[in-house]
Amino acid sequence: MYEAHLRSLLSPLGVYDLEEHSASGAAVCALGTGLDTVSRRLEEIEREALTATAEGEGLARREALFARRPAAVTAEDRRAAIAALLQIDGDSLTPSAIDRTIRGCGIRARALEMGGGQLRVIFPEVAGEPEGFDQIRKIILDILPCHLGVEFYFRYLTWAECETAGYTWAQVEAAEHTWESFQLAVPPER
C-alpha cells in the first residue's frame, strides 16, 4: 500500500532508480513495508482506544478496572456492560437505574424495591437458578449499594400454576419429568 504510494510520489521526479533490484527501489520497498506495519498498528490502537469499537485488548483493559468481569461474552455485550458500569454514580440508587446497570452487564435480572432498605432480585426470563449464578451474584452485590439488604428470588413451578394449566400426574409422567425438571417446567410469562 505505502510502497505503491511512495513510488507514485517519487517516480515523476526522475531522480531515483525505482526498479525492484536497485538500491533505491529496495529502500522504497522497505520504507513502504515499515509504514504498512505502523499503519496497521495505529488502526488497531485507534479501534481499541474507544469502548464503542474495542474488540480485544481495549475491552480487557477496561474490564480490569472493575472488581469483577461482567457476565457478558460477545464483544458487543462486553461493550454494553462496560458502558453500564461506567454510568454508576451517586445518583444510581433508584430501582430503574439499578435495573439498567444490571441488565447492561448482561444479566437478565430485575431489582425490586421491597421497602425498609430491602431489594429483591428476580430473574424473570429464567426458571430456577440461572447458569453461572455464583458470578452473577458477585457482580450484582458489587453493583448494589452495601447498605441495602439483597434477596435473590428464583422462579419455580407453583401448585397454583399446575392447577391453572390443568396438569395431571399422567401428563407429568408422560413427559418423563423428574422432580427437578418438573419444578423448572414454568409456563412462559405473559
Side-chain angles (χ1 to χ4, degrees), residues 85-162:
L85 290 170
L86 289 173
Q87 291 177 19
I88 298 174
D89 62 11
D91 295 330
S92 298
L93 302 179
T94 66
S96 62
I98 290 171
D99 274 352
R100 276 193 313 274
T101 303
I102 290 172
R103 285 192 173 272
C105 289
I107 300 170
R108 292 187 173 111
R110 288 189 49 224
L112 304 173
E113 197 170 2
M114 303 303 290
Q118 292 291 115
L119 280 180
R120 175 180 284 170
V121 177
I122 63 170
F123 302 89
E125 301 163 19
V126 178
E129 190 174 292
E131 187 177 333
F133 176 69
D134 288 337
Q135 180 189 7
I136 291 170
R137 181 182 174 279
K138 290 174 185 173
I139 291 169
I140 290 173
L141 291 177
D142 280 345
I143 291 170
L144 296 175
C146 62
H147 70 280
L148 296 176
V150 179
E151 165 188 297
F152 292 95
Y153 180 81
F154 305 112
R155 177 104 163 76
Y156 293 98
L157 185 64
T158 65
W159 290 116
E161 290 171 326
C162 290

Side-chain angles (χ1 to χ4, degrees), residues 3 6-7 20 23-36:
E3 179 184 355
L6 289 172
R7 286 184 190 277
E20 279 187 42
S24 298
V28 166
C29 180
L31 284 171
T33 302
L35 289 171
D36 285 343

